[in-house]
Amino acid sequence: GQQLNQSPQSMFIQEGEDVSMNCTSSSIFNTWLWYKQDPGEGPVLLIALYKAGELTSNGRLTAQFGITRKDSFLNISASIPSDVGIYFCAVRNNAGNMLTFGGGTRLMVKP
Amino acid sequence: DGGITQSPKYLFRKEGQNVTLSCEQNLNHDAMYWYRQDPGQGLRLIYYSQIVNDFQKGDIAEGYSVSREKKESFPLTVTSAQKNPTAFYLCASSTRFSGRYNEQFFGPGTRLTVL
């Protein structure tokens, strides 16, 4: 099946630092999504990207849909302790009925 | 409040027993999904249903079964045929065909431990 390569697998940063993570695929997708999962909870949608080259912000979060439609990145500016969690990228298949998830980036923030 | 509920939060079963996980939504969504998550890994699709009385296998359907008798409910049964059932199970829902602005929303999950 399709695979999404997400990196880094984990990050341990100081509060206030900026964070960047990315996701790549060998196939083209027309929708890229970024979710955050707190420990023991379900993922929450952060940003949805629908157009190649699109740059979208949600507060301190910014995500971009790669121009090749094979990658996306997520940036978090001025990190705070509540940013701790696992961030997942996901893509939707062309039929629109299935998501494929990356392996996740575990973010840890030191106060 | 509108949302997706999964119960119970934690579930323990003996090996060889079937167990059914509940998922209910009051978002009036047509489509519902079941995912499995193992430690340190992403989510993998087990089954999905786009309309009542219809469902499709996902990537890892072996050892699982579902039913969709009501729009609001999509229970998942983990059968004794599932070789490694201990995992975190997540239910999601969306409008019938996930499209622009119609993304999947997730429930809080059920952690199943088979002893």
Side-chain angles (χ1 to χ4, degrees):
Chain A
Q2 299 126 357
Q3 278 193 325
L4 292 182
N5 297 310
Q6 192 170 344
S7 64
Q9 287 188 337
S10 62
M11 304 178 72
F12 189 52
I13 62 171
Q14 193 76 33
E15 182 178 359
E17 290 182 352
D18 297 343
V19 171
S20 184
M21 59 192 78
N22 72 339
C23 197
T24 61
S25 170
S26 57
S27 302
I28 289 174
F29 292 99
N30 294 318
T31 298
W32 287 76
L33 309 168
W34 285 94
Y35 285 86
K36 183 195 177 194
Q37 185 179 31
D38 290 329
E41 300 295 331
V44 173
L45 182 65
L46 298 174
I47 293 178
L49 301 161
Y50 301 104
K51 186 177 178 180
E54 181 180 3
L55 184 72
T56 298
S57 293
N58 178 5
R60 293 178 295 105
L61 279 62
T62 301
Q64 184 157 29
F65 187 161
I67 197 71
T68 64
R69 291 185 284 161
K70 292 183 177 182
D71 64 338
S72 176
F73 71 74
L74 175 71
N75 288 342
I76 306 174
S77 63
S79 59
I80 59 178
S82 62
D83 289 335
V84 165
I86 304 176
Y87 292 80
F88 290 101
C89 62
V91 292
R92 191 166 63 235
N93 66 349
N94 290 335
N97 55 8
M98 291 176 64
L99 294 182
T100 298
F101 284 81
T105 294
R106 182 180 295 273
L107 179 64
M108 293 160 280
V109 179
K110 183 177 180 181
Chain B
D1 286 349
I4 304 173
T5 57
Q6 291 185 244
S7 60
K9 183 68 174 176
Y10 299 95
L11 192 55
F12 297 88
R13 279 295 182 269
K14 291 183 179 180
E15 191 173 351
Q17 290 182 335
N18 291 354
V19 59
T20 297
L21 280 61
S22 166
C23 179
E24 304 278 333
Q25 55 95 4
N26 60 5
L27 299 168
N28 199 33
H29 283 168
D30 288 295
M32 298 185 74
Y33 311 80
W34 273 106
Y35 292 88
R36 171 185 172 131
Q37 186 178 28
D38 293 289
Q41 297 189 28
L43 283 66
R44 292 183 290 167
L45 183 65
I46 305 173
Y47 267 99
Y48 66 98
S49 167
Q50 294 185 329
I51 198 168
V52 173
N53 293 323
D54 183 62
F55 48 84
Q56 306 295 329
K57 292 182 179 180
D59 298 323
I60 55 166
E62 185 176 352
Y64 299 98
S65 66
V66 293
S67 63
R68 188 82 187 280
E69 297 176 1
K70 297 187 300 181
K71 186 176 183 178
E72 306 80 27
S73 178
F74 190 39
L76 173 75
T77 297
V78 184
T79 75
S80 57
Q82 168 52 231
K83 296 178 181 177
N84 188 17
T86 295
F88 189 47
Y89 290 89
L90 287 156
C91 179
S93 71
S94 71
T95 55
R96 181 175 178 178
F97 292 109
S98 287
R100 198 178 182 111
Y101 310 121
N102 296 325
E103 301 304 338
Q104 293 182 26
F105 292 89
F106 285 83
T110 292
R111 186 168 298 280
L112 173 65
T113 302
V114 176
L115 307 170

